[in-house]
Amino acid sequence: MDNTFFDKYINNEISYDEFDKHVSLICESSDNYGTLGLNESEFILYKRLGKDALGSIIAARKQKTEIIQKWKKFFREEIAENHRKNTLKLEHLNEFNLNPFLDNYKANFLLGDNSPKSKATALVYARALGTSINTTFGTNLQKFCSDILSGYASTTSGIDIEFEDFTDGRRKYCQIKAGPNTINKDDVKTISDHFAGVKNLARTNNLNIGLNDLIVGVFYGEEKNLSNHYRKIQKDYPVYIGQDFWYRLTGDCNFYKELTTAIDEVASEYDGRELLETVIKRLSAEIEKAED
C-alpha cells in the first residue's frame, strides 16, 4: 500500500506546506480525510489547530502501540501468573471457609452428587473463576493504570496524567481510576482536594485551566455503571469512562475495543484445564481424609 500524505510528512518526504496543501484540496469533502492518512478525530483536530495538532497526533499513535504492548505484558505477568499461583493454593482445604449447610448443596447442584470430588470441584470453580481472578484483576489494575499511561505522566501534584483531548483540543489534567466501582467515600474527597489544588495553582500562575479540564478517567466500564461515589464527583468535574475516555486520549474511537481484543489474544495462550484437574484431585483427597 502506498504511503499516505501524513506518512510522507512523518518520513520527511514532503514538507508541512505540501501536506497542508493536500488538506486544503481535500477538506471540501470531509469524507476524503482518510486519503490523508488521518482518522476522523485526527482530521477534526487538525482543522481546528493546524500544525500544532500534528505533534499530538504522532505522539498519540506512538502511545497507542506502547499501551497495547504494556497491556499484554501486564496481563501475562500480573493477572495470568497470579491467577495460576492463586489457583494452585486451592489444593489445600484450609484455603476455604467451609459451609456445612451449603457445600453439599453446591456439589449436588453442579454435578448431581456430593462426593469429595464433586465438593472439591464446586469449591475450586467458585474461587478460581470467581473471586480469585476478580480480586487479582482489581488489585493489580489500579497499580498498573499509571504505568500503562506513563507516556502521559504529569508533573502537576495530585494529577496522574495530562493529555490533549481529541474532542475539544484542550489540555486535560486527569486522575486515573480502574473501574466503575473502584473508589470509596474517602477517594471522593481526595480527588476533589487534588483538583482544588490545581485550580489554585492555575490562578496563581495565570494558567488557562477550566473546570472541564480537570477530569477523572476510568480505565474500563460504561457510564451507566458508575458508582454513586463517581456521581458525586460528576457534580463538579467530568468523569469519562471506558470507550469515551480512550477516545479522548487517543483520538481513536475503536481503541477501547482494541484493548479488549489484545486480551483476547493473550487469553488464547492459556488452557487451565489440566491445572484445575490437578488442584481438584488434591483437594478431593483432603476432603475425603477429613470426612473419614
Side-chain angles (χ1 to χ4, degrees), residues 230-286:
Y230 282 113
R231 300 294 180 193
K232 290 181 181 179
I233 295 173
Q234 281 184 317
K235 293 178 182 178
D236 299 305
Y237 305 101
V239 177
Y240 301 123
I241 182 170
Q243 183 176 1
D244 188 23
F245 167 65
W246 290 104
Y247 174 52
R248 291 172 179 275
L249 182 73
T250 67
D252 184 347
C253 62
N254 294 315
F255 188 70
Y256 185 56
K257 185 176 181 180
E258 288 182 32
L259 287 175
T260 304
T261 301
I263 296 309
D264 289 343
E265 293 173 3
V266 174
S268 67
E269 301 170 8
Y270 296 90
D271 183 344
R273 288 175 295 180
E274 184 176 341
L275 173 64
L276 286 169
E277 185 60 34
T278 298
V279 170
I280 289 169
K281 182 177 180 181
R282 292 173 181 171
L283 179 61
S284 174
E286 286 202 13

Side-chain angles (χ1 to χ4, degrees), residues 222-235:
E222 297 182 18
E223 202 278 338
K224 65 182 180 181
N225 296 325
L226 286 171
S227 69
N228 287 333
H229 297 308
Y230 282 113
R231 300 294 180 193
K232 290 181 181 179
I233 295 173
Q234 281 184 317
K235 293 178 182 178

Side-chain angles (χ1 to χ4, degrees), residues 1-10 14 19 22-23 26 30-44 46 53-54 57-58 61 64 166 250-252:
M1 182 182 294
D2 293 337
N3 284 346
T4 65
F5 293 119
F6 191 54
D7 291 329
K8 292 178 180 178
Y9 168 73
I10 294 173
I14 61 174
F19 174 76
H22 289 295
V23 174
I26 288 171
S30 60
D31 291 340
N32 290 329
Y33 54 78
T35 63
L36 291 169
L38 303 176
N39 65 36
E40 184 176 6
S41 298
E42 292 170 340
F43 180 73
I44 292 172
Y46 178 76
L54 297 182
I57 293 170
I58 293 170
R61 289 187 178 187
K64 284 195 296 183
F166 271 82
T250 67
D252 184 347

Side-chain angles (χ1 to χ4, degrees), residues 82-237:
N82 281 323
H83 187 213
R84 185 188 69 82
K85 291 178 180 178
N86 289 335
T87 300
L88 280 171
K89 294 177 183 178
L90 301 180
E91 65 185 33
H92 302 297
L93 194 55
N94 59 13
E95 286 291 322
F96 300 90
N97 294 318
L98 298 182
N99 186 327
F101 298 104
L102 289 178
D103 292 335
N104 285 343
Y105 167 77
K106 291 177 182 178
N108 276 285
F109 188 86
L110 180 66
L111 294 167
D113 67 79
N114 62 0
S115 66
K117 183 175 182 181
S118 293
K119 282 192 277 191
T121 301
L123 289 168
V124 169
Y125 277 13
R127 284 279 291 277
L129 300 179
T131 55
S132 176
I133 183 64
N134 291 337
T135 300
T136 297
F137 185 77
T139 300
N140 286 278
L141 184 58
Q142 182 61 53
K143 176 187 71 175
F144 178 67
C145 282
S146 295
D147 179 59
I148 194 175
L149 297 174
S150 59
Y152 299 94
S154 173
T155 58
T156 304
S157 178
I159 298 299
D160 294 321
I161 65 171
E162 296 178 26
F163 65 94
E164 305 295 330
D165 190 328
F166 271 82
T167 67
D168 62 14
R170 290 187 60 85
R171 189 161 190 81
K172 303 301 183 185
Y173 298 79
C174 179
Q175 281 258 332
I176 292 293
K177 299 301 174 186
N181 294 290
T182 54
I183 65 171
N184 57 39
K185 181 180 178 181
D186 292 337
D187 292 325
V188 175
K189 184 179 186 307
T190 300
I191 292 169
S192 296
D193 287 347
H194 283 319
F195 285 159
V198 176
K199 285 191 290 186
N200 290 334
L201 180 66
R203 283 194 293 267
T204 301
N205 294 282
N206 197 29
L207 300 175
N208 180 21
I209 300 177
L211 289 180
N212 288 334
D213 298 330
L214 301 170
I215 70 170
V216 175
V218 186
F219 197 97
Y220 72 90
E222 297 182 18
E223 202 278 338
K224 65 182 180 181
N225 296 325
L226 286 171
S227 69
N228 287 333
H229 297 308
Y230 282 113
R231 300 294 180 193
K232 290 181 181 179
I233 295 173
Q234 281 184 317
K235 293 178 182 178
D236 299 305
Y237 305 101

